[in-house]
Amino acid sequence: MPERIGVYVCHCGSNIAATVDVRQVVEQAAKWDSVVVARDYKYMCSAPGRELVIKDIRELNLTGVVVASCSPRMHEAMFRGVLEEAGLNGYLLEIANIREQCAWVSLPGAGATAKAVALTRAAVKKARLNQPIWEREIPVNQATLVVGGGIAGIQAALQVANAGYLVYLVEREPYIGGHMAQFDKTFITLDCATCILTPKLAGVERHPNIRLMTCSEVVQVDGYVGNFRVRVKTSPRYIHEASCTGCGACERACVLWDSIPAEFDEGLGRRGAVYVPFPQAVPLKARVDGKNCLYLTTGNCRRTCVTACQRGAIDFDQKETVSEIAVGSIIIATGFDVFDPGVEPRWGYGRYENVITGMQFERMSNASGPTLGKILLADGTEPRRVAVVHCVGSRSKKYHRHCSRVCCLSSLKFAHLVREKTGAEVFEFYTDLNIFGKQYDEFYHRVREEGVHFIRARGTEVTEIDGQLAVCAEDVELGVYREIPVDMVILNTALIPRHDAEKVSRLFGISRSSDGFFMESHMKLDPVTTFMNGIYLAGCCQSPKDIPDSVAQGAAAAAQALSVIARGKVSLSPVTARVTEELCSGCRICLRTCPFQAISFDQAAGTAEINEAVCKGCGCCSAACPAGAIDITHYGTGQLLAQIEGVCGNEDKD
Amino acid sequence: MAKLKLAVYWTAACGGCDMAMLDMGERVLELDRVADIVLWPLVADFKYSDVRQMEDNAIDICLLHGAVRNEENRQMAELLRQKSRVLVALGSCACFGGIPGLANFFDRQEIFTWVYLESQSTDNAGGVCPQTSARVPEGELTLPEFFDTVLTLDQVVDVDYYIPGCPPTTEMLWQAIQTLTGDQLPPKGTVFAGSKTLCDRCTRQKEGKSITGFRRLAAVDIDLQRCFLEQGIVCCGPATRSGCGGRCLRANMPCRGCFGPTEHVRDQGARLVGAIAAMIASDHREEIEKISHLLPVPDDPAATFYRFSLPHSLLKRKRKENAS
């Protein structure tokens, strides 16, 4: 039966029509072989636009449809639905992207129109060769993996677990809670961070549906949405978790007690080689720091900790373990790192002892922190004048272009806490005040009324003038250069991607945006999903955000996972690789090209074999196959060559 | 039954395919029992005019070997097509362009400049290059036009069957002749060779294609049992049609690709490049470049991968500078 193809060219308002002569594309298309109808419409994706296609398919018995419009990422799925509604297989649709790949990147005129014609012709040529194909459905595993136990991951885990499904919560640190557990008060409510976090931590620990894995990292991910297989490496704690009560007797007995900078206290406090991270830690278990423990590093230690532990919980024989878990969805909530201001001398960090980071201030101000909540200088006295420097490493061409979004508010919070606890004068050195959240502006005015000085500063530098710590900057509003003597400087440092974000992105096969954070499917309309089906993002690993936004995204990611579970099955794209056994000579070149381990070698048949459930249709094997024995369904060599011929304007030669 | 009429003709070729015919030995006599030879420049004296005088389709089977390099080749191909019931492309040159097809990495001007003017063995004080016509005192002399681009036989005329190989093996040739002189002709387009690639027939041990370095055959002590590629030696076997019986492999030489690509492949060279790139055991750009530079063909990768099939490929020839 000869192909009968309908071509529909979209104006996309003026998005396409202002650059491309849409009428001319239609006139050209109408002349091509197999094209029985060619039309244009202002918005093909609108209801009347879709109706147009459905009507033509029914009345003109179309066998294929070409929509020349925007990127297939936008509307391909929807137009497939339109074809299905009219009784055609959805894969008989071909999209010609004349918006992103033509109108938006071309100057108006004959050139742009010629390009739109070429792209449309390519789509028609391919559409002639399209075959009906069907998606397959497979059951999903109902368990969910959450990677990262900060507030976003915790929220996601609780949400899924509360719905009645199993959650594996994997956390690299020996405790959950993430950065939030380190904070003192949270803006703008000035709630104690730990107080509002603890119920959630306890909820995770006690939840029958949550398997908490601390000191653990994901090391391998295989499979696909609904059916992931994940390997998790757990480092030894050297503590029997069941026996340990977290009393801390071992830490006080450790010969290195109070001598190792405590990570949780941002180096302001000290701990032993065996330690309980903080009093509200979940799980409240000690951990032996294998890098510093004398016994583990040298074998020579009196092991006073073992004697001190009444429950015999310390076990130096524990080994690293690797467990394999099966899950249907993965939520990545790996959080952020904090910029190190020590890289640039002008911030004085590491040079002057009273220059601290925002995170250090959080610990100092926290009642369970190293100063028990007192704001103190290195000499133990209270500061009288304190500077808060904004945008340290953020909004910078040299370090990180992005705005860290939370620092303006946390800087206001620091000012408030300093005023409240010490009565000191506070100077805020800001570049712009990016204050946008619910009741945030009200908080700003409150802090301003508390007598905090605001200096819109450029070129802020921390220095010492005649032995006096000072912050120098150009005051942009007054147009003068100012040197403000202070006792303490708080550097509000940027929230940046984790140091191992690249490794993690490769592990899970997700992308990163130009700022280095993990990339969502669509910045506005799909901020939680990734390009990997079944893998979702939550919290600051996607972009810096405050606690309410992290919680919201955690819940949204949970909703994504739950929707997969609720459906009970996932559709697998029929776009996969196929081996033509009559052509495969068993050379095995394809085997190592597959990024998804979907190809195996069938010894008995002497040919390559593709697991279609795992295959993503990426085409690596097809490109590598020297015999032409592997083709991708819907993107066969013939179909691609037809497209190339179409783009090259070779209408006569089929 | 009346004897068949057989023609064998060569265009741009080395004559190796004729030799392969003769290599059939006494079978040539058997051939004589079923067919009269009406044209075969190698063995008997025929004139073009003899062919022109034949009626259309007077030749039952014409085996034509050689690429189409000049106007004379083209005219003879067209003439023999007109006079033959069955036209067979014999050998790699007729099928894919073969070794003469490598000239498509140059154009006519470059070739003339080198061959008639610049090469060191040339003594051409007048700087004369071939022309299609020249006036001499005795009158006008003509030469067939030398094409810019070498063509395969089927790019010039309709071809019924293909017998690839440089040269085709005598066994295969004999089998093809028996089939073609038999009662039942195979479907048009049939290639008298295997359908899978040479790896299918290769008995060398294959473990996995992961290459950390490429090596020259002459520079290494090869493992006689193991796949050449797995030892880092470029072998065209994975992208080359089987049917040769692995004669090179048996002599411990890697495949050079003379049987051309399989049915579904349009571009043997591109397939080889893709396949070899996929074997490099690294994901790091610098390391990949380092390994690639160890290819034992650094000066001429194109001719390694397209040795017999350039005119037939999608690439077809070097890009012309003035092409639009």
Side-chain angles (χ1 to χ4, degrees):
Chain A
M1 190 177 80
E3 295 296 321
R4 298 174 59 81
I5 290 168
V7 177
Y8 301 88
V9 187
C10 183
H11 293 239
C12 195
S14 60
N15 271 307
I16 293 170
T19 312
V20 169
D21 183 345
V22 171
R23 281 302 314 161
Q24 211 180 313
V25 179
V26 170
E27 280 164 24
Q28 291 285 323
K31 295 179 197 159
W32 299 332
D33 271 1
S34 343
V35 174
V36 294
V37 60
R39 302 182 193 276
D40 61 304
Y41 193 72
K42 194 154 188 190
Y43 293 105
M44 279 313 302
C45 59
S46 66
R50 301 194 308 258
E51 275 307 315
L52 210 58
V53 180
I54 292 174
K55 195 161 161 276
D56 281 353
I57 292 174
R58 288 185 177 144
E59 291 178 0
L60 302 171
N61 294 319
L62 298 185
T63 59
V65 170
V66 169
V67 179
S69 58
C70 48
S71 160
R73 285 205 70 83
M74 299 295 297
H75 289 318
E76 185 172 59
M78 187 200 72
F79 280 115
R80 276 188 188 146
V82 168
L83 266 67
E84 302 270 353
E85 201 182 325
L88 272 190
N89 181 279
Y91 286 84
L92 298 171
L93 167 79
E94 202 56 40
I95 299 253
N97 180 359
I98 60 166
R99 192 178 75 172
E100 285 85 342
Q101 290 182 353
C102 180
W104 281 357
V105 290
S106 308
L107 294 171
T113 303
K115 188 174 175 189
V117 168
L119 290 167
T120 310
R121 183 168 45 218
V124 169
K125 287 228 176 202
K126 172 155 187 278
R128 283 183 205 154
L129 301 174
N130 282 352
Q131 296 289 325
I133 44 176
W134 289 268
E135 295 179 352
R136 293 152 299 143
E137 287 186 327
I138 46 156
V140 302
N141 186 312
Q142 295 194 327
T144 299
L145 167 68
V146 177
V147 187
I151 183 60
I154 287 172
Q155 182 68 29
L158 285 172
Q159 209 99 15
V160 175
N162 285 342
Y165 301 104
L166 183 62
V167 176
Y168 295 95
L169 178 56
V170 172
E171 168 59 55
R172 177 152 61 185
E173 299 295 328
Y175 58 90
I176 55 170
H179 282 98
M180 186 176 170
Q182 290 176 273
F183 296 164
D184 176 28
K185 300 286 193 286
T186 58
F187 62 76
I188 51 166
T189 52
L190 300 175
D191 287 317
C192 153
T194 328
C195 308
I196 56 174
L197 181 61
T198 309
K200 291 201 182 275
L201 300 182
V204 168
E205 189 173 35
R206 283 205 305 261
H207 208 295
N209 290 336
I210 297 182
R211 306 275 180 280
L212 177 58
M213 306 171 83
T214 51
C215 302
S216 300
E217 286 184 86
V218 174
V219 289
Q220 193 185 330
V221 182
D222 290 322
Y224 48 93
V225 58
N227 295 275
F228 291 106
R229 289 183 315 282
V230 182
R231 289 170 76 81
V232 179
K233 182 185 83 181
T234 302
S235 308
R237 235 179 222 275
Y238 303 108
I239 299 285
H240 280 301
E241 290 197 28
S243 311
C244 176
T245 61
C247 69
C250 54
E251 180 170 13
R252 289 186 294 275
C254 176
V255 294
L256 295 175
W257 156 248
D258 203 23
S259 65
I260 301 164
E263 297 85 353
F264 190 79
D265 283 334
E266 296 290 323
L268 289 183
R270 293 178 185 283
R271 60 169 172 83
V274 58
Y275 64 106
V276 178
F278 62 103
Q280 301 93 334
V282 168
L284 189 63
K285 306 290 172 194
R287 168 186 179 253
V288 179
D289 164 5
K291 287 207 180 79
N292 284 298
C293 169
L294 277 184
Y295 180 70
L296 287 172
T297 52
T298 68
N300 288 322
C301 181
R302 286 180 286 135
R303 281 175 277 168
T304 42
C305 54
V306 177
T307 326
C309 181
Q310 294 177 357
R311 298 175 65 92
I314 295 175
D315 176 7
F316 285 113
D317 293 330
Q318 279 185 359
K319 296 275 178 296
E320 181 182 290
T321 57
V322 174
S323 35
E324 186 166 319
I325 56 180
V327 295
S329 301
I330 298 176
I331 295 170
I332 299 185
T334 48
F336 61 93
D337 275 346
V338 177
F339 177 71
D340 172 14
V343 298
E344 184 150 324
R346 76 173 168 110
W347 287 309
Y349 188 74
R351 287 163 67 205
Y352 310 119
E353 53 187 4
N354 288 316
V355 178
I356 60 172
T357 65
M359 283 307 290
Q360 285 178 320
F361 179 82
E362 295 280 3
R363 292 312 300 152
M364 189 184 273
S365 185
N366 191 300
S368 65
T371 58
L372 303 177
K374 293 200 180 76
I375 311 301
L376 297 176
L377 298 174
D379 63 5
T381 62
E382 279 195 348
R384 282 166 297 117
R385 292 159 70 85
V386 175
V388 184
V389 179
H390 294 224
C391 298
V392 176
S394 306
R395 307 180 78 214
S396 131
K397 282 187 183 154
K398 189 166 173 190
Y399 297 107
H400 299 278
R401 274 295 289 120
H402 67 265
C403 165
S404 297
R405 285 179 96 235
V406 295
C407 348
C408 282
L409 265 296
S410 61
S411 295
L412 295 173
K413 176 186 75 180
F414 297 161
H416 168 83
L417 292 172
V418 170
R419 299 279 303 147
E420 185 181 72
K421 293 192 175 190
T422 67
E425 240 182 313
V426 181
F427 301 86
E428 296 266 353
F429 289 81
Y430 70 97
T431 41
D432 291 295
L433 285 171
N434 288 350
I435 289 171
F436 50 84
K438 185 173 178 176
Q439 294 178 15
Y440 286 7
D441 199 59
E442 293 90 321
F443 184 70
Y444 160 62
H445 285 286
R446 170 183 168 182
V447 172
R448 203 171 180 113
E449 279 157 23
E450 286 171 2
V452 173
H453 307 290
F454 286 84
I455 298 167
R456 186 170 198 161
R458 195 151 57 189
T460 306
E461 189 177 345
V462 178
T463 183
E464 227 175 48
I465 300 170
D466 302 332
Q468 168 64 52
L469 191 62
V471 180
C472 313
E474 181 193 344
D475 185 325
V476 179
E477 276 169 1
L478 296 183
V480 296
Y481 175 73
R482 297 177 71 174
E483 289 172 353
I484 311 250
V486 291
D487 303 321
M488 175 185 273
V489 177
I490 304 168
L491 301 173
N492 214 342
T493 44
L495 274 54
I496 60 175
R498 284 283 189 197
H499 60 279
D500 56 355
E502 178 59 29
K503 199 175 105 193
V504 173
S505 75
R506 280 169 187 264
L507 189 60
F508 291 96
I510 57 176
S511 314
R512 298 167 76 198
S513 37
S514 57
D515 53 17
F517 292 102
F518 297 143
M519 193 151 93
E520 60 286 321
S521 300
H522 191 280
M523 201 181 252
K524 293 183 189 69
L525 299 179
D526 229 346
V528 179
T529 65
T530 65
F531 293 123
M532 285 293 280
N533 291 339
I535 300 188
Y536 312 109
L537 301 175
C540 291
C541 66
Q542 181 246 347
S543 157
K545 47 180 68 71
D546 57 13
I547 293 167
D549 283 3
S550 290
V551 170
Q553 203 181 11
Q560 293 283 357
L562 287 170
S563 74
V564 170
I565 297 170
R567 265 195 75 201
K569 55 199 176 184
V570 287
S571 298
L572 289 186
S573 165
V575 179
T576 57
R578 280 171 302 119
V579 177
T580 310
E581 280 160 21
E582 299 75 56
L583 285 175
C584 175
S585 63
C587 73
R588 293 171 231 204
I589 285 169
C590 55
L591 295 188
R592 63 178 301 278
T593 63
C594 181
F596 309 99
Q597 286 84 45
I599 312 180
S600 53
F601 185 72
D602 182 339
Q603 289 288 355
T607 56
E609 193 176 47
I610 290 171
N611 179 349
E612 287 187 21
V614 182
C615 173
K616 288 268 176 195
C618 71
C620 289
C621 57
S622 177
C625 176
I630 306 182
D631 239 351
I632 309 296
T633 309
H634 201 55
Y635 294 95
T637 308
Q639 286 165 306
L640 298 184
L641 286 174
Q643 272 183 305
I644 292 169
E645 279 174 4
V647 165
C648 296
N650 196 351
E651 174 55 24
D652 313 322
K653 201 178 143 205
D654 274 333
Chain B
M1 197 181 82
K3 279 172 92 175
L4 295 168
K5 297 208 168 6
L6 177 77
V8 181
Y9 187 72
W10 64 353
T11 48
C14 67
C17 294
D18 273 331
M19 292 304 154
M21 294 277 292
L22 294 182
D23 266 354
M24 291 193 298
E26 303 90 273
R27 286 164 178 172
V28 174
L29 302 177
E30 271 183 62
L31 178 61
D32 184 56
R33 278 201 283 279
V34 292
D36 281 331
I37 292 166
V38 296
L39 171 73
W40 191 352
L42 183 83
V43 298
D45 185 14
F46 297 93
K47 301 297 179 209
Y48 291 169
S49 54
D50 299 334
V51 183
R52 286 198 192 94
Q53 281 161 14
M54 292 178 187
E55 283 181 18
D56 286 1
N57 289 333
I59 302 169
D60 290 300
I61 301 165
C62 174
L63 304 174
L64 203 160
H65 61 100
V68 178
R69 185 344 123 231
N70 60 29
E71 181 59 26
E72 185 202 17
N73 297 161
R74 192 177 64 81
Q75 284 185 13
M76 279 309 290
E78 284 172 354
L79 181 64
L80 286 167
R81 172 70 275 185
Q82 192 190 335
K83 303 296 178 192
S84 307
R85 214 162 41 82
V86 169
L87 179 67
V88 182
L90 176 65
S92 303
C93 299
C95 292
F96 323 114
I99 296 287
L102 285 171
N104 285 358
F105 283 123
F106 307 89
D107 59 26
R108 174 172 46 210
Q109 195 54 51
E110 287 171 306
I111 293 169
F112 281 4
T113 304
W114 175 251
V115 173
Y116 294 100
L117 303 174
E118 290 181 351
S119 60
Q120 282 156 7
S121 58
T122 300
D123 181 7
N124 181 2
V128 180
C129 285
Q131 301 157 51
T132 49
S133 99
R135 282 236 148 259
V136 291
E138 294 83 355
E140 188 188 18
L141 288 178
T142 59
L143 275 179
E145 184 194 348
F146 184 96
F147 294 160
D148 233 7
T149 303
V150 175
L151 302 168
T152 66
L153 186 58
D154 65 4
Q155 285 165 352
V156 177
V157 293
D158 192 35
V159 169
D160 298 305
Y161 302 108
Y162 300 84
I163 307 176
C166 185
T169 65
T170 49
E171 295 78 18
M172 211 177 64
L173 203 49
W174 180 238
Q175 241 174 38
I177 287 170
Q178 278 180 311
T179 309
L180 293 172
T181 54
D183 300 332
Q184 184 107 39
L185 285 177
K188 188 172 165 162
T190 295
V191 179
F192 288 96
S195 58
K196 294 193 175 191
T197 65
L198 189 54
C199 294
D200 183 52
R201 295 298 166 89
C202 178
T203 53
R204 286 167 182 266
Q205 282 158 17
K206 284 165 255 180
E207 283 157 32
K209 304 275 184 295
S210 181
I211 297 179
T212 52
F214 288 98
R215 303 188 284 176
R216 281 174 189 275
L217 184 65
V220 290
D221 209 1
I222 54 164
D223 179 341
L224 297 181
Q225 309 301 322
R226 191 153 181 224
C227 166
F228 284 110
L229 278 163
E230 291 179 12
Q231 301 182 63
I233 296 159
V234 172
C235 173
C236 300
T240 303
R241 200 187 268 272
S242 57
C244 58
R247 52 193 171 179
C248 300
L249 302 174
R250 282 202 309 275
N252 281 318
M253 285 297 288
C255 172
R256 307 201 310 164
C258 73
F259 268 55
T262 57
E263 189 189 337
H264 282 234
V265 172
R266 287 268 303 267
D267 196 310
Q268 188 185 15
R271 285 284 169 179
L272 270 168
V273 173
I276 287 190
M279 287 178 226
I280 295 176
S282 174
D283 289 328
H284 301 288
R285 195 190 156 144
E286 281 171 20
E287 203 182 339
I288 290 170
E289 280 178 5
K290 218 169 104 190
I291 295 173
S292 316
H293 279 121
L294 295 176
L295 263 176
V297 283
D299 299 328
D300 206 357
T304 301
F305 299 126
Y306 286 99
R307 187 176 273 133
F308 295 96
S309 67
L310 182 60
H312 169 81
S313 68
L314 280 176
L315 189 64
K316 197 166 180 182
R317 59 159 297 119
K318 185 182 83 166
R319 182 173 167 269
K320 291 187 184 176
E321 285 311 319
N322 57 358
S324 59

